[in-house]
Amino acid sequence: MNSRRAFLVWGVAVLAYVLAVVQRSSLGVSGVDAQDRFAVSAAVLSTLAVVQIAVYAGLQIPVGIALDRIGPRRLVLLGALLLTVGQAVVAVSPTIGPAIVGRVLVGAGDAMTFISVMRLLPMWFSGRILPQISQWTGNLGQVGQIASAFPFALLLHTAGWSAAFGVAAAASAVGLVLAVVFVRNGPVPVRTDTIPLPHSWGAAFRTFGHALRRPGTQLGFWSHYVTQSSGTVFSLLWGVPMLRGLGYTSTEAAAFLTVIVVVGFVVGPVLGVLCARFPFRRSNLVLGVVVLLGVVWTAVLLWPGHPPTWLLVLLVVAMGVGGPGSLIGFDFARSFNPTGSLGSANGVVNVGGFLAAFVMMFCIGVLLDAVSRATGDTVFAWSNFRIALTVQYVVVGAGVAMLLHARRRTRAVLHAEDGIRVGPLWVALVARLRKRTVQ
């Protein structure tokens, strides 16, 4: 545990995740090009992204069950293979139909990568370093977003659609070869706890049922749901068109996306340390991230005329905080599930943010078309985005209500099973302040 070999395995696995993010986010920087190439409306263009996210979210639970049954290594390899084939199909697609098929394969391969890498971590690492390694995994993976924002975008606009997506497919092929050579399941067995060894797929499904019913798993799901979705919608599809509608160039829009990743690098380790030091206040961190996102989005959407650049920078900074904030959901899954059901629990959690993103992406596309028809403005005009982006308040607001419900149930179980009572944050702060005053 925590050995040099552990870091080698982790490094190659993270590279596989980086390449998965490249393929996932490649559509985000090519949305305008895709509309021109395939001559489709905003609603149809959103379908290209939505179907990818739908496949990704829909496969999280089956992949989680498979993780507990066969281990993460095989799924990392299968994911890399599907990503390679999917991007190759997109590269040669002359119409929207084959491109959708390719993005389905990309979504399937992507679905197998992240939670498999997360499943590897407790097999190779232990102790207080584990939450920090989890944060670094998520943040390093977002290097793929930088790669799609700059090298991929540059290749797209110089060499063309087929060359750019062909190179992306080749990169995943290289990752597949490296994973075959270096990635292994860890010295800690895949199942080491009180849950019976799932000798069959039926038993594996029962293990999933145990994980799904735990309030801590549900708390992780809703934490992921409310924190990741806004940044995912922005990065994977609507961010670049929105910024282009505000008058920014493709290069400037890509720079905004890069800020999200850089902020994640800075904030992620800090959140990892805070989660390790204050494990009973993790939900407060999640809610703090949601408040930050809500306040900044409100300022952007209500700003008279075009919002200034400094406010948009603040927006992408807030979304950069949301990415690491969503990883707290996996920390809940790890804390409230035995190792044998951790793959299933991670799968449930990872559905959250992408389910919300799936709904918001599609609704934003439909609203953009509807408002454009009503006003006569071009589809990607800022006035249209100002209305369409209000969908976030409904989707995230519902998630916050469910998060608070799951938190109450989780704390009730914690008190019943371990005798630990977690009071409101303000009570804890007042008690700490009084203690310092007495001292």
Side-chain angles (χ1 to χ4, degrees):
M1 301 296 285
N2 304 344
S3 63
R4 289 183 179 178
R5 187 184 179 195
F7 280 96
L8 175 62
V9 172
W10 173 65
V12 176
V14 167
L15 175 61
Y17 176 45
V18 169
L19 293 172
V21 174
V22 171
Q23 320 310 345
R24 178 199 303 171
S25 56
S26 57
L27 185 62
V29 298
S30 60
V32 176
D33 300 84
Q35 189 182 39
D36 293 338
R37 178 181 176 88
F38 301 127
V40 294
S41 66
V44 175
L45 178 61
S46 71
T47 302
L48 193 60
V50 165
V51 71
Q52 173 190 335
I53 298 300
V55 170
Y56 182 100
L59 284 179
Q60 288 306 295
I61 290 173
V63 169
I65 293 170
L67 277 172
D68 292 328
R69 182 76 176 93
I70 64 176
R73 180 178 185 271
R74 295 180 185 178
L75 291 176
V76 170
L77 301 182
L78 180 58
L81 177 61
L82 289 173
L83 288 164
T84 301
V85 175
Q87 287 293 69
V89 171
V90 174
V92 299
S93 295
T95 61
I96 191 70
I100 290 176
V101 173
R103 295 309 286 186
V104 166
L105 294 176
V106 169
D110 191 15
M112 297 177 184
T113 305
F114 177 64
I115 62 171
S116 297
V117 175
M118 293 296 287
R119 184 64 183 86
L120 276 169
L121 301 187
M123 300 171 70
W124 286 99
F125 298 95
S126 63
R128 297 186 66 177
I129 193 176
L130 190 51
Q132 297 177 55
I133 289 291
S134 298
Q135 284 287 343
W136 276 112
T137 299
N139 293 329
L140 287 171
Q142 299 315 304
V143 171
Q145 191 167 303
I146 296 178
S148 64
F150 285 104
F152 176 84
L154 178 63
L155 189 61
L156 177 68
H157 296 135
T158 55
W161 180 278
S162 296
F165 280 93
V167 169
S172 276
V174 172
L176 172 61
V177 172
L178 291 174
V180 168
V181 175
F182 293 106
V183 174
R184 294 290 183 274
N185 293 334
V188 175
V190 177
R191 311 164 198 88
T192 57
D193 48 63
T194 57
I195 285 188
L197 182 70
H199 293 289
S200 66
W201 285 104
F205 274 93
R206 287 191 292 275
T207 297
F208 160 73
H210 288 299
L212 180 61
R213 287 191 294 271
R214 290 189 180 92
T217 305
Q218 297 167 21
L219 178 58
F221 172 94
W222 292 112
S223 297
H224 198 264
Y225 181 102
V226 299
T227 48
Q228 178 175 304
S229 50
S230 181
T232 298
V233 169
F234 190 89
S235 300
L236 293 193
L237 186 59
W238 293 124
V240 170
M242 185 195 94
L243 292 168
R244 294 289 297 274
L246 286 168
Y248 294 93
T249 66
S250 297
T251 302
E252 291 168 339
F256 278 103
L257 297 182
T258 302
V259 172
I260 297 177
V261 181
V262 173
V263 170
F265 272 112
V266 175
V267 174
V270 175
L271 287 180
V273 171
L274 291 175
C275 286
R277 186 172 181 183
F278 305 106
F280 300 121
R281 296 299 170 188
R282 289 172 291 183
S283 61
N284 296 113
L285 294 174
V286 171
L287 292 171
V289 171
V290 175
V291 170
L292 173 64
L293 284 165
V295 169
V296 179
W297 266 117
T298 300
V300 169
L301 296 179
L302 292 181
W303 193 274
H306 287 192
T309 299
W310 66 264
L311 184 56
L312 293 173
V313 171
L314 187 58
L315 175 64
V316 292
V317 167
M319 287 188 285
V321 176
S326 71
L327 297 177
I328 297 174
F330 296 98
D331 210 42
F332 282 128
R334 181 183 57 82
S335 299
F336 295 105
N337 283 273
T339 306
S341 62
L342 190 53
S344 296
N346 282 344
V348 171
V349 169
N350 209 29
V351 170
F354 290 96
L355 174 63
F358 164 83
V359 174
M360 288 195 290
M361 276 183 181
F362 182 72
C363 291
I364 289 169
V366 171
L367 283 173
L368 283 173
D369 282 337
V371 177
S372 176
R373 287 193 297 268
T375 63
D377 293 332
T378 59
V379 174
F380 294 151
W382 169 239
S383 58
N384 298 342
F385 271 109
R386 192 195 295 270
I387 296 173
L389 288 168
T390 58
V391 166
Q392 297 177 95
Y393 294 96
V394 178
V395 176
V396 176
V400 169
M402 296 303 298
L403 183 149
L404 294 173
H405 176 67
R407 184 175 71 169
R408 284 194 296 271
R409 295 180 60 230
T410 303
R411 288 180 173 180
V413 171
L414 194 62
H415 180 247
E417 294 183 353
D418 300 322
I420 299 173
R421 184 183 295 276
V422 182
L425 178 61
W426 69 269
V427 174
L429 292 175
V430 169
R432 182 179 290 264
L433 180 61
R434 286 178 177 174
K435 184 178 179 181
R436 289 184 176 179
T437 302
V438 171
Q439 290 176 344

